[in-house]
């Protein structure tokens, strides 16, 4: 089988060669790299080096070298495919099984060429923004007012996006080049195809990957405009959940300082570098993810998260805790620094000095203490109920920790707070986890096989729509009637007589009667209306907002015209997409707070997890191609329904002589309706 090169690159970006090699070789930190005795030849002095930065191993004695895949092939005797599958299993990725065809290879080559082209476009824009900064006095004054020097601005490649709506047209002669929109530099209005610059009158922070290539931008507004910070949208070269601002510039400082300082914004990173803390990085307008933490631990064993002391800072720290727990091994240090609410790192250093800030970092809260603090939120430990609540809130956090001494020590501390024996608490949590998995919907389905899978049933329900399922509430507990007529007609057809009771059925063993009463079904709660096509389409778009681009303008118009809550949601999604690009569901849900469709959106997204087993929610990410095909199918069905409604309206207008052109319009709509059904192979659907 041929594995796409894009998959190999993605796989290597998710694994850490130090972790892979460390399972077979005892490694010790030696400067920027890790050293150990070479597993490929006998030696007494370590000459085997593993670089977390380059994700590469090399033996200075025998010359063996390579990446994580090469190490498994050389050391474990695996074939290439076996090594890829082994690593993929460790990261939860699924190896593509299809034999790569010439067309697939051509597509992969085209994708690589597209990425290179996007990088070239972004680099060119970055050069233009830097040139604009030189001739923008108010932008220069703003940076000077923030205490930044020309030297630090040059180091980070800061620039300025002018106020004009189409300033980039002077840089790119072909302003309608699709690459400008794909790179996130230009926004295209789908309705009238008008184009305009995404970034206007903003200080520009180029975002670089670890290779130093420009992959996106962050724009800070000058003055009081909104939003304060505007980021590039998700593109083939830019993924907010994986990249960290300033990591490329901080590489050397991380080794000398011995730790990385994770802050909340671009300006914090640049200002701290100006003030002597060049080892700072920042997330890109999103919560800290496990991918962020994994990438940081390739460069250092110590991470300090710095957040404001206000509510927003605490919430950000809580999310960072979730992302950091799986990587909190016994040899790594993770701390949380909370500054006073009135300060950010920049202002604190300027007011109190470098030494005071360095002391704050030393006194930062260890991960173990913050975990207990987060788990103890709203728990009255003076009561049994409060301690039980602590147990419930601590378990999912504790279970994220890797096995080791830290995990066992935290179990003991939590057991003391909950007032249980350590072994008893561990046993209780194990029982609770097993119970949750046993009674999860997917587990019950597996234990009692059904004629069709739950996913198939859900898909059919989504295809049927609301109309196929009348909304009703059954009267459980009432005698259930025997299906069929209450009048019995003998085979000779000469007489008829009433059943003694319509609720009696054949087979009774009581006396000579031929009927028995059926037992009423057990009440299982109210019926829920199956998801409609619009529900399902909303769920797909909320879970993968980038799918919006796969739809045509007429699809957008149809979705936005749907009745509430779907239509207003799709219209809101369209506006957010044009302004900020494709956002993750976690970010979308935060922006959506206060919107009238917010609760419906939460419910639709939750339907996607109805069959997940506890602990496996993120085991395998959904296939984007399958999601696009499913969305296309749903939108086609919604369009068919929409055309049918328009046909009915046109026919009614024709029959009432209200519109002389109604018949022609009906014929045109009917032709389109039939074509769409045929193309989608939906002629057999209602």
């Amino acid at each position: 089988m041929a594995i796409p090169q894009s998959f190999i690159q993605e796989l290597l970006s998710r694994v850490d060669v130090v972790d892979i090699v460390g399972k077979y070789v005892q490694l010790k930190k030696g400067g920027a790299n890790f050293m150990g005795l070479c597993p490929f030849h006998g030696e007494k002095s370590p000459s085997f080096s593993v670089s977390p930065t380059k994700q590469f191993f090399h033996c200075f004695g025998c010359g063996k070298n390579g990446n994580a895949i090469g190490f498994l092939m050389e050391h474990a005797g695996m074939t290439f495919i076996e090594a890829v599958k082994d690593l993929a299993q460790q990261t939860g990725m699924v190896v593509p099984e299809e034999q790569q065809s010439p067309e697939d290879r051509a597509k992969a080559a085209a994708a690589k060429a597209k990425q290179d082209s996007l990088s070239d476009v972004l680099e060119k824009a970055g050069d233009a923004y830097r040139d604009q900064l030189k001739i923008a006095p108010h932008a220069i004054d703003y940076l000077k007012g923030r205490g930044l020097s020309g030297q630090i601005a040059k180091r980070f490649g800061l620039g300025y996006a002018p106020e004009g709506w189409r300033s980039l047209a002077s840089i790119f002669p072909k302003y309608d080049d699709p690459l400008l929109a794909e790179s996130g530099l230009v926004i295209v209005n789908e309705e009238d195809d008008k184009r305009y610059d995404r970034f206007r009158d903003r200080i520009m922070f180029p975002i670089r990957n670890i290779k130093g290539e420009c992959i996106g931008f962050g724009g800070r507004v000058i003055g009081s405009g909104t939003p304060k910070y505007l980021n590039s949208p998700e593109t083939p070269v830019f993924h907010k959940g994986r990249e960290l601002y300033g990591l490329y510039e901080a590489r050397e400082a991380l080794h000398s300082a011995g730790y990385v300082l994770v802050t909340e914004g671009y300006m914090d990173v640049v200002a701290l570098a100006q003030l002597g803390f060049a080892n700072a990085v920042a997330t890109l307008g999103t919560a800290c993810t496990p991918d962020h933490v994994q990438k940081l631990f390739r460069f250092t064993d110590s991470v300090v998260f710095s957040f404001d002391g206000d509510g927003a800072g605490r919430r950000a720290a809580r999310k960072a805790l979730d992302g950091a727990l799986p990587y909190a091994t016994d040899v790594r240090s993770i701390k949380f620094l909370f500054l006073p609410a009135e300060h950010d790192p920049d202002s604190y250093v300027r007011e109190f000095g470098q030494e005071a800030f360095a002391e704050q970092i030393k006194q930062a809260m260890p991960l173990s203490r913050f975990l207990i603090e987060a788990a103890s939120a709203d728990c009255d430990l003076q009561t049994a109920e409060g301690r039980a609540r602590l147990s419930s809130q601590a378990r999912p956090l504790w279970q994220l920790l890797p096995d080791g001494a830290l995990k066992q020590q935290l179990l003991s501390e939590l057991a003391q707070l909950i007032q249980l024996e350590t072994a008893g608490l561990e046993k209780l949590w194990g029982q609770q986890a097993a119970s949750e998995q046993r009674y999860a919907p997917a587990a019950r389905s597996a234990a009692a096989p059904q004629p069709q899978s739950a996913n198939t049933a859900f898909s059919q329900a989504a295809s049927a729509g609301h109309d196929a399922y009348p909304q009703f509430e059954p009267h459980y507990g009432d005698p259930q009637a025997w299906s069929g007529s209450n009048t019995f007609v003998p085979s000779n057809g000469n007489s008829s007589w009433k059943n003694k009771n319509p609720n009696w059925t054949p087979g009774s063993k009581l006396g000579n009667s031929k009927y028995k009463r059926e037992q009423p079904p057990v009440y299982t709660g109210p019926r829920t209306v199956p998801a409609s096509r619009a529900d399902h389409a909303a769920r797909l778009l909320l879970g993968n907002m980038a799918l919006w681009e796969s739809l045509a303008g007429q699809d957008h118009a149809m979705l936005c015209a749907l009745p509430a809550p779907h239509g207003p949601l799709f219209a809101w999604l369209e506006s957010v997409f044009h302004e900020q690009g494709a956002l993750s569901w976690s970010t979308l849900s935060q922006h959506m707070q206060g919107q009238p469709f917010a609760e419906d959106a939460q419910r639709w997204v939750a339907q996607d997890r109805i069959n997940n087993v506890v602990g496996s929610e993120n085991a395998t990410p959904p296939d984007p191609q399958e999601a696009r095909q499913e969305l296309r199918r749903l939108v086609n069905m919604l369009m068919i329904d929409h055309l049918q409604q328009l046909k009915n309206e046109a026919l009614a207008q024709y029959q009432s002589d209200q519109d002389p052109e109604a018949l022609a319009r009906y014929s045109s709509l009917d032709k389109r309706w039939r074509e769409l059904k045929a193309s989608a192979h939906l002629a057999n659907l209602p």
Side-chain angles (χ1 to χ4, degrees):
M1 60 179 290
I3 301 176
Q5 186 62 32
S6 58
F7 178 85
I8 302 299
Q9 294 174 353
E10 176 68 9
L11 177 64
L12 290 174
S13 71
R14 294 196 183 192
V15 300
D16 189 346
V17 70
V18 176
D19 290 339
I20 302 302
V21 175
K23 295 178 180 179
Y24 304 91
V25 180
Q26 185 175 357
L27 298 175
K28 291 184 179 181
K29 193 71 178 292
N33 299 328
F34 289 80
M35 300 297 295
L37 296 175
C38 179
F40 303 116
H41 79 285
E43 62 178 10
K44 296 182 179 181
S45 299
S47 62
F48 183 79
S49 172
V50 184
S51 170
T53 304
K54 298 178 181 179
Q55 287 296 294
F56 201 77
F57 72 87
H58 178 76
C59 178
F60 295 93
C62 66
K64 293 281 188 181
N65 59 74
N67 56 23
I69 296 175
F71 179 84
L72 291 179
M73 293 174 65
E74 290 285 350
H75 186 265
M78 298 182 183
T79 65
F80 177 78
I81 293 176
E82 289 172 342
V84 170
K85 288 185 175 181
D86 183 86
L87 292 176
Q89 185 178 15
Q90 295 182 43
T91 59
M93 297 179 69
V94 178
V95 181
E97 295 291 343
E98 304 83 21
Q99 184 72 28
Q100 194 175 30
S101 64
E103 292 79 7
D104 291 334
R105 288 194 291 271
K107 288 180 180 179
K112 180 64 169 63
K114 173 65 70 63
Q115 291 180 346
D116 293 341
S117 299
L118 289 174
S119 296
D120 292 341
V121 167
L122 291 165
E123 290 285 0
K124 188 173 182 180
D127 292 339
Y129 291 143
R130 285 187 283 275
D131 291 339
Q132 286 291 330
L133 179 61
K134 299 175 183 177
I135 57 175
H138 73 297
I140 295 175
D141 291 340
Y142 172 81
L143 293 176
K144 287 182 177 180
R146 297 296 300 265
L148 300 183
S149 65
Q151 182 180 4
I152 204 71
K154 181 179 180 180
R155 177 184 172 188
F156 284 88
L158 303 189
Y160 171 68
E163 293 183 87
W165 286 86
R166 295 168 61 93
S167 299
L168 288 176
S170 61
I171 308 301
F172 299 95
K174 293 183 179 180
Y175 193 68
D176 59 350
D177 188 340
L179 288 174
L180 294 180
E182 291 182 55
S183 65
L185 294 171
V186 168
I187 295 175
V188 181
N189 190 319
E190 293 288 346
E191 295 182 359
D192 52 14
D193 201 41
K194 289 186 178 179
R195 299 164 182 263
Y196 54 94
D197 293 357
R198 180 182 299 273
F199 301 100
R200 304 178 301 279
D201 193 26
R202 291 177 179 270
I203 299 295
M204 299 299 291
F205 298 81
I207 303 166
R208 299 178 174 126
N209 62 18
I210 199 60
K211 298 178 183 178
E213 301 167 336
C214 182
I215 56 176
F217 291 95
R220 206 287 185 192
V221 70
I222 298 179
S224 57
T226 57
K228 183 178 179 181
Y229 283 97
L230 181 63
N231 298 314
S232 291
E234 296 277 324
T235 70
V237 297
F238 178 49
H239 305 282
K240 299 176 187 177
R242 302 177 193 168
E243 302 297 338
L244 289 153
Y245 177 72
L247 182 58
Y248 174 75
E249 291 81 2
R251 291 170 303 158
E252 297 302 324
L254 295 183
H255 300 312
S256 58
Y259 70 95
V260 59
L261 183 66
V262 184
T263 63
E264 295 188 81
Y266 304 100
M267 193 59 73
D268 285 333
V269 172
V270 179
L272 284 172
Q274 170 87 41
L275 297 170
F277 293 88
N279 55 323
V281 301
T283 55
L284 301 169
T286 63
C288 187
T289 67
D291 284 338
H292 287 144
V293 179
Q294 183 186 37
K295 179 169 286 190
L296 289 172
F297 278 127
R298 292 181 180 177
F299 296 87
T300 179
D301 288 329
S302 180
V303 176
V304 179
F305 294 101
S306 175
F307 299 101
D308 297 340
D310 56 11
R314 287 277 170 173
R315 289 191 294 273
R318 180 64 179 77
K319 293 177 181 178
L321 175 66
D322 291 337
L325 284 172
Y327 300 98
T329 64
D330 295 343
V331 296
R332 290 170 175 168
S333 170
I334 301 173
K335 294 183 177 181
F336 295 82
L337 170 62
F338 297 101
L339 296 173
E342 67 273 14
H343 282 293
D344 57 25
D346 176 18
S347 65
Y348 191 93
V349 177
R350 293 184 188 279
E351 182 169 343
F352 299 104
Q354 294 182 17
E355 292 184 4
F357 185 63
E359 185 61 28
Q360 285 285 332
I361 293 173
K362 290 181 181 178
Q363 300 301 323
M365 184 184 297
L367 174 140
S368 57
R369 180 180 163 192
F370 187 47
L371 183 151
I372 293 175
E373 180 180 297
S376 303
D378 302 321
C379 297
D380 182 2
L381 300 185
Q382 302 304 314
T383 67
E385 291 82 358
R387 293 190 292 273
R389 183 187 181 104
L390 168 59
S391 173
S392 177
Q393 294 179 170
R395 179 169 66 88
L397 298 176
W398 181 83
Q399 288 176 334
L400 287 174
L401 286 166
D403 292 335
L406 175 62
K407 188 173 186 177
Q408 289 301 312
Q409 290 181 74
L410 271 170
L411 180 66
S412 299
E413 290 189 37
L414 290 167
Q416 291 178 8
L417 292 173
I418 299 169
Q419 296 187 12
L420 290 176
E421 294 292 334
T422 301
L425 180 60
E426 189 171 20
K427 180 179 179 181
L428 172 65
W429 283 354
Q431 291 172 341
Q432 290 174 341
S435 177
E436 288 175 358
Q437 185 164 354
R438 185 183 309 117
Y439 292 104
R444 292 199 299 270
S445 298
Q450 300 296 324
Q452 58 182 1
S453 68
N455 287 336
T456 303
F458 179 80
S459 177
Q460 292 176 352
S463 301
H466 278 302
D467 295 339
Y469 299 87
Q471 187 172 3
F472 69 96
E473 186 68 28
H475 297 284
Y476 289 102
D478 293 344
Q480 181 179 355
W482 175 34
S483 59
S485 172
N486 288 341
T487 302
F488 174 73
V489 181
S491 58
N492 58 17
N494 294 330
S495 65
S496 64
W497 51 281
K498 297 287 185 178
N499 293 337
K500 291 182 178 180
N501 189 314
N503 295 321
W504 293 78
T505 54
S508 173
K509 298 181 180 179
L510 301 177
N512 296 324
S513 172
K514 297 181 180 180
Y515 305 96
K516 69 178 180 181
R517 185 183 299 275
E518 291 183 346
Q519 293 296 322
V522 177
Y523 178 69
T524 58
R527 297 280 181 91
T528 57
V529 179
S532 69
R533 295 164 184 167
D535 291 349
H536 198 176
R539 178 182 64 78
L540 288 171
L541 286 166
L542 290 168
N544 187 354
M545 197 175 170
L547 293 174
W548 188 262
E549 272 190 322
S550 68
L551 301 178
Q554 62 179 359
D555 299 326
H556 295 165
M558 181 270 295
L559 292 174
C560 294
L562 290 173
H566 300 96
L569 168 66
F570 290 128
W572 180 82
L573 273 179
E574 183 176 49
S575 65
V576 172
F577 184 85
H578 286 316
E579 183 62 28
Q580 302 186 48
L583 304 178
S584 66
W585 164 240
S586 60
T587 304
L588 263 183
S589 60
Q590 294 176 5
H591 288 321
M592 197 183 296
Q593 293 180 6
Q595 296 289 344
F597 43 76
E599 291 186 6
D600 294 292
Q602 293 280 355
R603 174 168 52 82
W604 295 328
V605 172
Q607 286 175 334
D608 187 35
R609 305 183 178 96
I610 195 169
N611 290 308
N612 281 347
V613 177
V614 174
S616 65
E617 291 85 352
N618 299 318
T620 304
D623 182 10
Q625 181 62 29
E626 291 182 1
R628 280 193 294 271
Q629 293 174 353
E630 179 67 358
L631 180 62
R632 181 69 265 165
R633 186 180 68 86
L634 289 165
V635 170
N636 282 348
M637 291 188 292
L638 287 168
M639 182 65 76
I640 288 171
D641 294 341
H642 180 63
L643 292 172
Q644 181 64 59
Q645 180 182 357
L646 295 178
K647 283 170 54 181
N648 294 341
E649 293 174 358
L651 185 59
Q653 291 172 353
Y654 168 73
Q655 292 174 343
S656 61
D657 295 328
Q658 294 179 356
D659 185 354
E661 298 180 356
L663 184 59
R665 187 165 63 255
Y666 174 88
S667 299
S668 176
L669 290 168
D670 184 67
K671 180 180 179 181
R672 171 62 180 146
W673 180 82
R674 292 180 183 278
E675 290 175 349
L676 189 57
K677 290 197 74 171
S679 64
H681 304 288
L682 297 174
N684 61 327
L685 292 180

